[in-house]
Amino acid sequence: MAAAAAVVAFRSLAALLFRDAQVELLAEAVPPERLPFVVPLAARTAYVGTGYVKELAGVLGGHYQPDAADVGIVASLDELAGPTFDPGGVDPLVREFYEHTTRFALDIVPHWRLWVRPGYLLYRSLVARPLGQASVPMNQREAQRGVRSRIDTISDAPGGVVSVRGWIRSFVDTDEPIYVGIYTTYRRDGHGYVSVGFPVPEGSFTATLAPAARPGGGLVLTSRSDLEQPGHYLTYVDSGSGELTTLAVHGFAERLDVWADGAELRAEHAFALFGMPFLVLEYRIRRK
C-alpha cells in the first residue's frame, strides 16, 4: 500500500515538527458516498502515466475519447455558483478557458523556493518519475521543452454525457507525464467546489478547492477557506469493496489565480507546505 506508507511517513514527521496535527484521519473503510468531495479513482498499476484515463475506461466500461475536442475541465462554471461566488462576474475569456480548455495551449514557468529544491529533486527521481505522476519542471530551461495539454474523457456513449474528465499535461518531446488530474465539481449547502483527483497506486490525492472572485473578472480556486469542504485528502481505495480510508492533509495548501491579460490569460498556482510557500507555477495561456 504505497499511499498508506506515504501517509505514515508524513504523519510521523509532522508529529515531530508541529503542535497542531498536519494530518487527520477523516474516515476509515467507508463507502464513497460518504465522502463526495473525494475523487475515489485509484491507479491499478504502479505507473499512472498519460494512458491512465484509457485504462480507467476499460475498468468502468465507458466510451473513451482521447484528446477530446473543444472540452473543458468543468462542464460549466455555473456549477460553482453559491452565496460567496457569482460566475456571472467572471471574464468571458476566463470562463472559456475552464469550459473549453482544449482551445488553449499553456507554457509553465516554475519558481521554486531554494529550501525545497534538494528534497524535490530527490522526490522526483525516486517517486514522481517512476510513478508517472506529479513531476513538475525543475526550472524554466526544462519547461522550455514545451507542455502538451489535453483532456481525455469517458462518457456513457459516443457523443454522450461526459462522466470523467482527465486533464493530462506532459512534455512535448517525450510525452513524459507532468500531471494527470481527474476534474470534477461538487455541491454542498448551496456552494460549489472543484475537486481534482490525482490517482496514485491504490489511492488518490484530492484537492477540493473553493471558488472566489478576483478583481477584474478573474477566478481564484483555493484550498484555504472558512467553508468546511476545501482541503487536501489522501485516500486509500480498497480494490475489492471500493471503500475509502481518507486522511485530511491540513499541512498542504494551494491557490490558483486565473485572469485575463488583454487577449491572453495568465495564471499563478501557488503551493505551501506547513504554512511555508515552496512553489509558484506561472502559466502563460494562449489560444491554439
Side-chain angles (χ1 to χ4, degrees), residues 66-92:
D67 201 0
D70 203 24
V71 67
I73 52 177
V74 300
S76 172
L77 276 190
D78 294 335
E79 296 173 359
L80 306 182
T84 59
F85 176 66
D86 177 14
V90 174
D91 186 283

Side-chain angles (χ1 to χ4, degrees), residues 9-264:
F10 188 98
R11 293 185 72 178
S12 299
L13 180 61
L16 290 173
L17 297 177
F18 300 95
R19 178 183 303 176
D20 297 328
Q22 300 298 300
V23 176
E24 175 188 4
L25 179 63
L26 192 65
E28 186 171 5
V30 301
E33 295 76 18
R34 289 271 302 277
L35 303 174
F37 49 88
V38 168
V39 181
L41 298 175
R44 293 176 176 262
T45 62
Y47 187 79
V48 180
T50 58
Y52 172 76
V53 179
K54 180 179 181 179
E55 295 168 1
L56 180 64
V59 174
L60 299 179
H63 173 72
Y64 168 65
Q65 179 61 56
D67 201 0
D70 203 24
V71 67
I73 52 177
V74 300
S76 172
L77 276 190
D78 294 335
E79 296 173 359
L80 306 182
T84 59
F85 176 66
D86 177 14
V90 174
D91 186 283
L93 189 59
V94 175
R95 175 184 280 267
E96 184 182 4
F97 170 71
Y98 276 94
E99 297 178 349
H100 302 277
T101 312
T102 55
R103 295 178 183 176
F104 297 84
L106 65 156
D107 297 319
I108 300 176
V109 180
H111 302 280
W112 290 91
R113 294 294 180 95
L114 290 177
W115 68 267
V116 80
R117 288 186 179 215
Y120 176 70
L121 287 173
L122 186 64
Y123 155 81
R124 188 171 68 164
S125 298
L126 299 181
V127 179
R129 280 178 167 165
L131 182 61
Q133 175 66 289
S135 182
V136 180
M138 188 67 238
N139 50 47
Q140 186 171 359
R141 179 179 178 182
E142 185 178 8
Q144 286 175 344
R145 294 166 56 187
V147 176
R148 181 189 180 196
S149 171
R150 74 176 196 261
I151 296 179
D152 290 0
T153 63
I154 302 174
S155 56
D156 53 359
V161 176
V162 174
S163 57
V164 174
R165 301 165 187 265
W167 192 13
I168 301 167
R169 282 151 287 179
S170 59
F171 289 108
V172 169
D173 53 355
T174 62
D175 205 33
E176 176 189 347
I178 297 173
Y179 275 116
V180 179
I182 306 299
Y183 280 69
T184 68
T185 56
Y186 157 70
R187 295 193 63 81
R188 179 174 177 176
D189 299 331
H191 294 270
Y193 305 92
V194 175
S195 287
V196 188
F198 299 94
V200 297
E202 302 181 45
S204 71
F205 185 72
T206 299
T208 295
L209 309 172
R214 189 182 193 275
L219 173 61
V220 175
L221 294 175
T222 178
S223 64
R224 287 288 187 248
S225 170
D226 293 334
L227 301 172
E228 180 182 357
Q229 301 303 300
H232 293 85
Y233 306 95
L234 184 59
T235 299
Y236 165 69
V237 182
D238 187 288
S239 59
S241 66
E243 292 181 327
L244 311 181
T245 296
T246 296
L247 299 172
V249 187
H250 301 302
F252 197 87
E254 67 178 292
R255 174 187 169 108
L256 173 61
D257 287 63
V258 181
W259 68 94
D261 182 14
E264 293 188 340

